[in-house]
């Protein structure tokens, strides 16, 4: 698969990376169809986050299709279309349920 990788300030590259695999029963593998970088990624690119090491894959927002699910995953199934948000929610509070 292709990935946009940060090498150092103002130096990124599109590289081939190994396809991920299920490591934990709660993991889901998504085939990304569309993605983008955001302000956080641009800050990394510009060197505003010195704690980010070379080799970091950029881009954490997108849309795709579920290809594989871990054994404890119950809310998604293979073939589901999903939105990958930069915001993580618990899904159990009143606001998440709305």
């Amino acid at each position: 698969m292709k990935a946009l990788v940060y090498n150092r300030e103002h130096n990124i590259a599109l590289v081939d990376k190994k396809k991920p695999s299920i490591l934990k029963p709660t993991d889901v593998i998504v085939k990304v169809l569309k993605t983008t970088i955001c302000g956080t990624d641009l800050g990394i690119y510009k060197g505003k986050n010195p704690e980010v090491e070379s080799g970091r894959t950029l881009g954490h927002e997108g849309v795709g299709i579920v290809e594989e699910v871990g054994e404890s995953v119950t809310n998604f199934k293979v073939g589901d279309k999903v939105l990958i948000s930069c915001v993580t929610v618990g899904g159990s509070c009143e606001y998440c349920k709305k």
Side-chain angles (χ1 to χ4, degrees), residues 33-50:
L33 302 174
K34 302 285 183 185
T35 189
T36 188
I37 58 172
C38 74
T40 301
D41 298 312
L42 291 175
I44 293 168
Y45 171 74
K46 293 177 180 179
K48 294 182 179 181
N49 303 80

Side-chain angles (χ1 to χ4, degrees), residues 6-12 38-53 56-60:
Y6 169 79
N7 293 313
R8 63 182 178 279
E9 186 176 334
H10 295 281
N11 183 316
I12 56 176
C38 74
T40 301
D41 298 312
L42 291 175
I44 293 168
Y45 171 74
K46 293 177 180 179
K48 294 182 179 181
N49 303 80
E51 69 278 5
V52 176
E53 296 179 6
R56 166 78 61 93
T57 298
L58 300 178
H60 53 265

Side-chain angles (χ1 to χ4, degrees), residues 2-83:
K2 297 288 185 190
L4 184 66
V5 174
Y6 169 79
N7 293 313
R8 63 182 178 279
E9 186 176 334
H10 295 281
N11 183 316
I12 56 176
L14 192 60
V15 301
D16 286 312
K17 282 206 165 187
K18 182 180 172 186
K19 183 179 174 183
S21 59
I22 299 288
L23 300 176
K24 297 184 278 185
T26 53
D27 287 349
V28 174
I29 305 294
V30 176
K31 178 179 182 175
V32 177
L33 302 174
K34 302 285 183 185
T35 189
T36 188
I37 58 172
C38 74
T40 301
D41 298 312
L42 291 175
I44 293 168
Y45 171 74
K46 293 177 180 179
K48 294 182 179 181
N49 303 80
E51 69 278 5
V52 176
E53 296 179 6
S54 178
R56 166 78 61 93
T57 298
L58 300 178
H60 53 265
E61 300 172 11
V63 294
I65 298 175
V66 174
E67 284 195 333
E68 192 176 347
V69 297
E71 61 187 35
S72 343
V73 176
T74 58
N75 292 336
F76 299 99
K77 65 184 180 312
V78 172
D80 282 350
K81 295 177 182 174
V82 294
L83 168 71

